[in-house]
Amino acid sequence: MINQQLLPHKFEIYRSKNYLDTANAIKTMIVRGAPAIGATGAFGIAQAALEFKDDNLDDFKEHIEKAEKILKSTRPTANDLFYAIDFVRNKILNNFNVENAKKDAVKFANEYADWNAELCRTIGEHGNNLIKNNQNILTHCNAGALACVDFGTALSPIRIAHYNKKNVFVYVDETRPRNQGTSLTAWELAQEKISHSIIADNAAGFFMKKGKVDFVIVGADRIAMNGDVANKIGTYEKAVLAKENNVPFYVAAPLSTFDINSKTGEDIPIEERSEDELLYIYGIDENKTIKKIRIAPEESSAKNPAFDVTPARYITGIITEKGVIKPAREEIMKFVENKNAY
Ligand code: MRU
């Protein structure tokens, strides 16, 4: 996996040796972003299968269930993690021998990853139809190829529009406290030579009020059946500002992000992360060494919810691999029931 902790300063591939290492990579956000966490979970189950050295099927099932529990305990909010692990687990636990189960684990983890990448490419195609030439788009956090297997969700339409020679400009929310906008989204857009500027999270309202933002596209970590959407902390504020300023607000997400067990946003678990993410900041010094610097008084503590829930009433539409759907129970039920593959 690409080590996202080191970007934009270093591009390194992190090689996870076993499923415990993979679980740690998810927890510490070497890999992050809902679809990417999902695919990583799928491969974590495959690693666990390959690490099993015996041929006793019952012991194998027990081993897989233990790995599943550990991988699912890494981060609570992104539905893709649970969707992907359940997918591979269900495929391999029906086997009659361990050798077949191991082969199936690798096969279905790879199939899951390819399927999810294709969903994100298709989201890009549908989202591209919303984008006109010379439009300004605001995005929050990183919902790009780094956060997925490929293409991205919110960044996928922007990529496809750019590939189709449309002139787009992106306002990139820095996305405190971990700065996924500054360090990851800006990096992806720079790699693609897509025009963009990083803005302070608090400046989004300023640019919307000035009429500089044609619409907002963000990703999602979990979507409830009534259309409420959990995404990176700060997304809710952007949605309220967009409504106040009549700026269309789109969410882009594949099937794996929809949670049939969450009736409303109230049912979505919100991750609380370490206060250090607010009290310290990372960057490179004059010797290009990545440094951790304290920016808060020693006496101060911090509260750090990692996600918030945007109620459906603030969302213009959800861009899925099936096209744009309304954030409403009926359309969402039809979408999840009419699933196209797994
Ligand atoms: O804490 P992170 O960086 O994993 O949060 C990621 C987000 O909130 C993304 O917007 C979301 O996962 C969608 S990624 C396509």
Side-chain angles (χ1 to χ4, degrees):
M1 57 195 89
I2 296 170
N3 188 335
Q4 299 185 50
Q5 285 180 339
L6 304 179
L7 288 173
H9 309 304
K10 280 191 188 147
F11 183 91
E12 277 181 19
I13 300 295
Y14 182 83
R15 284 183 173 74
S16 156
K17 300 181 290 304
N18 53 49
Y19 83 83
L20 289 175
D21 196 1
T22 296
N24 182 59
I26 296 172
K27 201 169 182 57
T28 59
M29 297 178 70
I30 288 170
V31 60
R32 38 68 49 206
I37 293 174
T40 305
F43 285 116
I45 292 289
Q47 284 178 310
L50 296 178
E51 286 161 36
F52 186 78
K53 296 301 174 221
D54 189 341
D55 60 5
N56 177 298
L57 201 52
D58 292 338
D59 292 351
F60 175 77
K61 289 182 177 171
E62 208 178 298
H63 170 76
I64 292 298
E65 275 148 16
K66 179 175 164 228
E68 174 193 349
K69 212 153 162 268
I70 290 170
L71 287 161
K72 283 183 173 178
S73 69
T74 52
R75 300 187 69 193
T77 307
N79 189 64
D80 300 64
L81 179 65
F82 306 91
Y83 189 102
I85 290 172
D86 290 350
F87 166 70
V88 177
R89 190 252 350 253
N90 292 344
K91 290 285 183 190
I92 65 175
L93 292 191
N94 302 335
N95 272 282
F96 299 105
N97 71 55
V98 173
E99 278 325 299
N100 276 356
K102 287 183 176 186
K103 288 197 192 94
D104 272 358
V106 176
K107 172 174 167 254
F108 287 113
N110 276 298
E111 282 193 13
Y112 179 87
D114 294 340
W115 168 71
N116 214 266
E118 179 54 16
L119 297 189
C120 288
R121 188 193 63 72
T122 320
I123 286 171
E125 298 290 353
H126 290 299
N128 173 43
N129 300 334
L130 296 170
I131 300 176
K132 300 191 187 67
N133 199 22
N134 297 321
Q135 282 199 313
N136 299 339
I137 302 165
L138 184 140
T139 194
H140 188 71
C141 196
N142 172 257
L146 288 168
C148 301
V149 176
D150 203 346
F151 295 100
T153 56
L155 290 194
S156 188
I158 294 171
R159 261 195 174 89
I160 307 274
H162 179 68
Y163 298 161
N164 288 282
K165 307 277 178 268
K166 288 180 186 171
N167 180 26
V168 288
F169 176 82
V170 186
Y171 287 102
V172 178
D173 275 357
E174 60 182 338
T175 316
R176 289 279 296 152
R178 291 183 69 104
N179 302 315
Q180 286 93 331
T182 302
S183 59
L184 304 175
T185 298
W187 179 80
E188 281 197 48
L189 296 173
Q191 298 285 319
E192 296 273 15
K193 299 195 173 17
I194 297 173
S195 315
H196 64 280
S197 280
I198 297 166
I199 62 170
D201 292 323
N202 303 331
F206 171 86
F207 289 106
M208 288 187 200
K209 192 156 169 283
K210 274 184 167 300
K212 297 278 187 195
V213 178
D214 294 298
F215 57 87
V216 178
I217 305 184
V218 297
D221 285 271
R222 192 180 298 223
I223 300 178
M225 289 298 105
N226 73 333
D228 293 348
V229 168
N231 193 45
K232 182 49 56 189
I233 195 78
T235 303
Y236 169 52
E237 292 172 7
K238 301 296 164 332
V240 174
L241 285 165
K243 190 150 188 105
E244 171 63 20
N245 293 283
N246 301 315
V247 174
F249 185 92
Y250 288 96
V251 170
L255 175 69
S256 47
T257 303
F258 288 75
D259 178 15
I260 54 174
N261 301 313
S262 288
K263 289 193 179 49
T264 74
E266 295 302 311
D267 302 325
I268 300 177
I270 298 295
E271 181 182 13
E272 190 79 23
R273 291 190 64 87
S274 161
E275 64 175 1
D276 283 4
E277 294 185 350
L278 275 131
L279 302 175
Y280 294 86
I281 201 159
Y282 286 83
I284 49 168
D285 64 14
E286 60 286 353
N287 308 321
K288 299 214 175 302
T289 312
I290 294 182
K291 279 273 171 58
K292 178 181 179 181
I293 296 163
R294 187 173 178 104
I295 55 175
E298 288 300 334
E299 303 75 17
S300 299
S301 68
K303 292 194 179 309
N304 187 17
F307 301 98
D308 58 25
V309 171
T310 297
R313 66 180 179 279
Y314 291 102
I315 299 165
T316 311
I318 304 175
I319 310 169
T320 74
E321 64 271 19
K322 293 268 174 206
V324 180
I325 64 172
K326 287 204 183 59
R329 189 173 303 283
E330 209 186 316
E331 282 211 20
I332 291 176
M333 293 303 280
K334 217 167 60 198
F335 168 67
V336 295
E337 270 148 20
N338 179 17
K339 50 185 184 257
N340 59 353
Y342 302 113

